[in-house]
Amino acid sequence: MDYVKPGEVLNDMIEGGANKTKLSPGQMLVRSMLAGAILASATTLAFTASSQTNIPMAGALIFPVGFVIIVLLGLELVTGSFALIPLAVLQKKASVRSMLGNYGWVILGHVIGCLVYAVLYGLTITKMGHDMSSPLVQTIIKTSEAKTLAYKELGGEGLLLIVIKAMLCNWMVTLGVVMAFTSKSTAGKIAAMWLPILIFFGQGFEHAVVNMFVIPAGMMLGANVSFADWWLWNQIPVLIGNFIGGALFTGVAYYVSIRGFSKSKPSAIGSAGARGSMEAAAVSAERGR
């Protein structure tokens, strides 16, 4: 069957997290650069759809295409790893040091990939810097300022708000990663991943990798945002919120929910109920003889 049972999904999550920490720095860097650029491309596709239709939700409907490509190609997306690697550490299949090493290299790769795409896309929509009339220019500028200056104006409450929105975002993003494990077919994986990603993007939650493109792209196009505004009033608190949402709301919560159903190991959980029924039937048959 195409469907993968929850116990097997949990095992795959743990193994997936452990395997991510075994990659070389070069692999992490290249895979995360590609992932950052692909997610940035999906973001501009979503902006284009919203601009052409005047329906913001139209962008949310197609944005998941970038996430799907990243997951199916096995690239590195730090927000997804926020749910998987902590489980590998919990099961002693990875160390805290290797987890932090993965996060460091992958975040660096995302920044590079997003910045490269920002430059290339900026040159495209401005016709090599000669035409700033494209509506997408103003969309990116306004989004860049909204993701930084709007929070800055609120002070401490703004920081709390951005962390909360980042937590909610990565709860959905990491559910997308987990949902990919629930199917063995490509079509099944795509359909399963699409749903939670649409939920996060459609509600305007804060995703660290998307912001690594949108904010600096806006700065390049003339947004009134400084480097400090980018990192202090968005990037750092969003990374913190994304980690909390991914690690706790998805990783730990799912782990506890599955382990709570049975004392069996995760690998046996999916078939524990079936084995119990078969054993009970065998006992009854034995007594009936």
Side-chain angles (χ1 to χ4, degrees), residues 76-83 102-104 106-107 110 170 208-209 212 239:
E76 287 296 304
L77 190 64
V78 72
T79 46
S81 298
F82 282 162
N102 175 277
Y103 292 164
V106 172
I107 289 172
H110 287 333
N170 216 35
V209 184
M212 288 174 189
L239 282 167

Side-chain angles (χ1 to χ4, degrees), residues 273-289:
R275 286 203 310 271
S277 298
M278 292 174 64
E279 290 170 1
V283 170
S284 299
E286 214 33 59
R287 290 176 177 174
R289 288 180 179 177

Side-chain angles (χ1 to χ4, degrees), residues 209-279:
V209 184
V210 170
N211 294 348
M212 288 174 189
F213 158 71
V214 174
I215 298 175
M219 293 164 65
M220 294 175 191
L221 294 170
N224 186 30
V225 177
S226 67
F227 184 86
D229 291 333
W230 171 19
W231 284 91
L232 297 180
W233 291 99
N234 185 284
Q235 205 64 71
I236 292 175
V238 169
L239 282 167
I240 292 171
N242 283 170
F243 177 78
I244 295 172
L248 294 184
F249 292 174
T250 297
V252 173
Y254 190 69
Y255 178 89
V256 172
S257 72
I258 298 300
R259 291 298 294 265
F261 292 145
S262 170
K263 294 182 180 179
S264 304
K265 295 181 179 179
S267 60
I269 291 172
S271 57
R275 286 203 310 271
S277 298
M278 292 174 64
E279 290 170 1

Side-chain angles (χ1 to χ4, degrees), residues 113-157:
C114 288
L115 288 178
V116 169
Y117 182 77
V119 171
L120 298 177
Y121 186 73
L123 292 172
T124 300
I125 60 174
T126 63
K127 298 179 181 177
M128 302 302 289
H130 298 296
D131 184 1
M132 301 294 286
S133 64
S134 171
L136 292 173
V137 172
Q138 288 304 312
T139 296
I140 293 175
I141 290 175
K142 290 178 180 179
T143 304
S144 178
E145 293 177 345
K147 286 180 173 292
T148 52
L149 304 182
Y151 296 117
K152 187 177 182 179
E153 290 177 359
L154 295 175
E157 290 185 342

